[in-house]
Amino acid sequence: MFNSLTGTITGKYPQKLFLTTNGIEWDVVMPDTSLDALPHLGEEARVYTYLQHTDAAMTLFGFASERDRALFFDLLKVDGVGPKSAVKIMSSIALEQLVLALDDGNLAALEKIPGLGKKTAQKMLLALKGKLTLDEGGAKPTAAQNRGGEYADVISALANMGYDRRDVEAVIARLVDELRKAPADAGEKAFADMLPSAKEEVLFRRAIVELAQ
């Protein structure tokens, strides 16, 4: 069975990717978070795959990294979560936010994930708390990555602009640390006292400057 496909991106849609390899265009079901991490249309990308073969059909699932695919497999361990449900879950919440919700036992946060009812959220908590495979080595994210997970919308916006997602996550995590430690400027609120929308605006503006260098 093939582990991955490398080809040219010919289509990007919500939870769907078209990837052309040697004259064959593959229709790949993919979480939106993985799509955000891929290059633009017309560029080459490597997609890690999983083929679901049932009596009714064959469906090819794709992921931007082995870490994302490992999370997908972990979600399939939860009773009531199938492949397409796992893709929807991964599309609706950043990995770091999911880890924090599970490790904190935050059932309310899990219930807010679209399509995830209370019973399934409870099963997910029981099955995956403290057990998620988060990268190729099975390590949990660093504290900096967890803090960056609070600003998933900013990270996704920057990634959609073409910046490498890992570079974006590193810059956001560092900026958050710096801003939390910095004294407030005259006439301005300290970062910790700002509204969430104001924090995101500050981070977005500063990250753009650094990533553009």
Side-chain angles (χ1 to χ4, degrees):
M1 184 57 63
F2 48 86
N3 176 61
S4 66
L5 294 171
T6 300
T8 302
I9 297 175
T10 49
K12 291 177 77 172
Y13 307 94
Q15 297 178 21
K16 184 180 287 290
L17 173 78
F18 289 162
L19 188 74
T20 297
T21 62
N22 299 319
I24 300 174
E25 186 175 56
W26 301 86
D27 183 347
V28 186
V29 178
M30 177 175 280
D32 291 333
T33 46
S34 278
L35 283 166
D36 289 343
L38 293 180
H40 298 296
L41 287 175
E43 296 185 27
E44 185 176 275
R46 181 181 185 184
V47 175
Y48 294 88
T49 57
Y50 165 70
L51 179 64
Q52 181 192 36
H53 189 184
T54 66
D55 292 338
M58 288 192 294
T59 304
L60 184 64
F61 294 86
F63 310 90
S65 67
E66 290 181 285
R67 183 187 79 162
D68 286 354
R69 184 172 60 182
L71 172 60
F72 172 80
F73 288 140
D74 283 330
L75 290 172
L76 295 184
K77 298 174 184 177
V78 179
D79 184 26
V81 176
K84 291 186 177 180
S85 296
V87 168
K88 289 181 180 179
I89 291 169
M90 293 175 67
S91 296
S92 302
I93 184 170
L95 173 59
E96 293 80 10
Q97 290 177 314
L98 179 59
V99 172
L100 289 174
L102 289 169
D103 286 353
D104 292 344
N106 192 341
L107 186 61
L110 295 176
E111 290 177 3
K112 291 179 181 178
I113 299 174
L116 194 64
K118 184 174 182 178
K119 289 185 178 179
T120 304
Q122 290 173 333
K123 292 177 182 178
M124 182 183 294
L125 191 60
L126 289 172
L128 299 181
K129 183 176 181 180
K131 299 178 182 179
L132 281 181
T133 303
L134 297 177
D135 61 21
E136 288 80 357
K140 290 196 173 185
T142 63
Q145 287 173 316
N146 277 336
R147 287 192 291 275
E150 298 175 33
Y151 304 100
D153 289 342
V154 176
I155 291 171
S156 292
L158 291 166
N160 286 337
M161 293 174 64
Y163 295 109
D164 183 89
R165 192 177 188 88
R166 291 187 179 182
D167 290 342
V168 172
E169 289 175 347
V171 168
I172 291 296
R174 181 171 53 75
L175 286 174
V176 169
D177 282 339
E178 292 177 357
L179 289 167
R180 285 178 175 173
K181 296 174 183 176
D185 293 333
E188 293 187 5
K189 289 185 178 180
F191 183 77
D193 297 328
M194 292 180 181
L195 294 173
S197 58
K199 291 181 180 179
E200 291 178 350
E201 182 180 349
V202 170
L203 286 172
F204 184 83
R205 284 192 282 104
R206 296 202 180 191
I208 279 286
V209 173
E210 295 204 16
L211 291 166
Q213 293 177 353

